[in-house]
Amino acid sequence: MKAYQLAARQDGAGSTVVTVSSPGKTVHIGPGTCTVIAGPCSVESRDDYLEIALLLKEIGVDMLRGGAFKPRTSPYSFAGLGEEGLDILAEARAVTGLPVVTEVVDPRDMERVCGCVDVIQIGSRNMQNFALLKEAGRSPLPVLLKRGLAATIEEWLLAAEYILDAGNPRVILCERGIRTFEEMTRNTLDIAAVALVKELSHLPVIVDPSHATGRRSLVAPAARAAIAAGADGLMVEVHQNPDQALSDGNQSLSPVLFANLYRDIRNLPAWLGEPGRE
Ligand code: PEP
Ligand code: MN
């Protein structure tokens, strides 16, 4: 028996499709769906967030992202608007009708976060924060679990196991690059992990090409590669004015660049997005 028994793909059983229900829209994440999640790294202000949210809705995205609690390497960097950011996300959800995902970094914030968004994100730095994983496992919302920046695939699946074991069956895995000797890119996108995790687990897998590369010019090629490797969706950072962004501007796409990528993704050859392709 595998160490990650609940996350493991069972012989003969199909893949799990995670349903995200928000008041305005229901989104399915799993084989054949190619769910596109987009938004700025951080929620920076109400007006800017509502503006980009409406732009992204017009482009056609399935779900919005935006960080209110930001885990930053330096304590002097912008750490998000906190609760004010959550209120802005809730407003964007109401205005656009789109579901919203945001990161939770402290188990004490879980209830408040769950009241404002539709999917909880566990970030790379917290993939083995077991108290947080258990709290997410007890929460009523689906959980987007990012791969730890130096986590093996087995550790990642065991982190998912914590959430499943605590009673929450709605886990979405997100490959976001791992740390290697390479310094020209922020992380190294582990494209084989996408295909392998689809073999090992029934859970949906999406890719974040923004954190995986750290470079604007590489986001679209990495995104296309992710879909070709079998990813069930993408999470992409988009900012109205990437050079002014308070976090991760280097890897953020402008709305125009994102619209081009979105069109490419929707026009990928049909066999890449066929339901049941695994
Ligand atoms: C994010 O998606 O906002 C983020 C901080 O990513 P990661 O946890 O993958 O670094
Ligand atoms: Mn970011």
Side-chain angles (χ1 to χ4, degrees):
M1 198 187 276
K2 298 245 171 58
Y4 43 89
Q5 21 181 314
L6 298 172
R9 180 176 285 284
Q10 307 297 329
D11 284 345
S15 296
T16 292
V17 175
V18 169
T19 300
V20 175
S21 355
S22 96
K25 184 176 170 161
T26 299
V27 171
H28 302 286
I29 307 177
T33 55
C34 196
T35 304
V36 178
I37 306 170
C41 180
S42 308
V43 178
E44 299 178 0
S45 74
R46 177 180 175 273
D47 289 356
D48 286 345
Y49 194 78
L50 293 180
E51 182 186 57
I52 193 77
L54 286 165
L55 269 169
L56 291 167
K57 182 190 164 90
E58 207 171 298
I59 291 170
V61 305
D62 301 294
M63 205 186 307
L64 298 171
R65 63 152 285 144
F69 299 103
K70 296 302 301 176
R72 301 305 300 276
T73 301
S74 164
Y76 306 119
S77 300
F78 174 64
L81 298 179
E83 298 213 348
E84 187 191 341
L86 294 180
D87 292 338
I88 295 168
L89 290 169
E91 188 176 352
R93 172 171 77 158
V95 168
T96 61
L98 293 176
V100 174
V101 54
T102 200
E103 179 167 353
V104 52
V105 298
D106 186 326
R108 291 169 295 187
D109 295 325
M110 191 65 78
E111 213 177 310
R112 176 88 167 82
V113 171
C114 286
C116 295
V117 301
D118 309 285
V119 178
I120 293 157
Q121 179 172 320
I122 301 225
S124 199
R125 289 155 193 80
N126 273 317
M127 190 207 80
Q128 285 188 315
N129 180 337
F130 300 113
L132 190 61
L133 293 173
K134 286 185 210 165
E135 197 63 36
R138 289 189 287 264
S139 84
L141 296 185
V143 180
L144 194 160
L145 177 65
K146 297 193 107 182
R147 182 177 180 182
L149 54 167
T152 66
I153 290 171
E154 181 159 288
E155 287 165 343
W156 186 20
L157 291 172
L158 283 167
E161 191 80 8
Y162 266 89
I163 301 168
L164 299 169
D165 182 54
N168 188 342
R170 291 192 290 170
V171 177
I172 305 146
L173 299 167
C174 180
E175 159 65 33
R176 47 75 76 203
I178 48 175
R179 191 168 276 193
T180 68
F181 55 82
E182 183 53 66
E183 292 177 340
M184 297 276 253
T185 49
R186 182 175 181 184
N187 291 292
T188 296
L189 174 57
D190 188 358
I191 207 81
V194 177
L196 181 54
V197 170
K198 297 280 306 179
E199 262 178 50
L200 297 173
S201 174
H202 58 90
L203 296 171
V205 184
I206 69 165
V207 167
D208 170 351
S210 308
H211 293 88
T213 62
R215 296 170 80 120
R216 192 171 307 142
S217 64
L218 301 182
V219 171
R224 292 189 297 256
I227 300 300
D232 298 308
L234 297 168
M235 182 159 82
V236 182
E237 287 185 340
V238 185
H239 193 282
Q240 291 97 319
N241 194 349
D243 294 331
Q244 305 294 315
L246 297 180
S247 58
D248 288 350
N250 291 342
Q251 66 195 37
S252 297
L253 299 184
S254 64
V256 169
L257 287 177
F258 175 72
N260 292 341
L261 169 61
Y262 186 84
R263 194 196 49 222
D264 282 359
I265 291 163
R266 291 299 177 218
N267 289 332
L268 284 171
W271 62 268
L272 283 177
E274 260 170 24
R277 176 185 60 88
E278 284 175 34

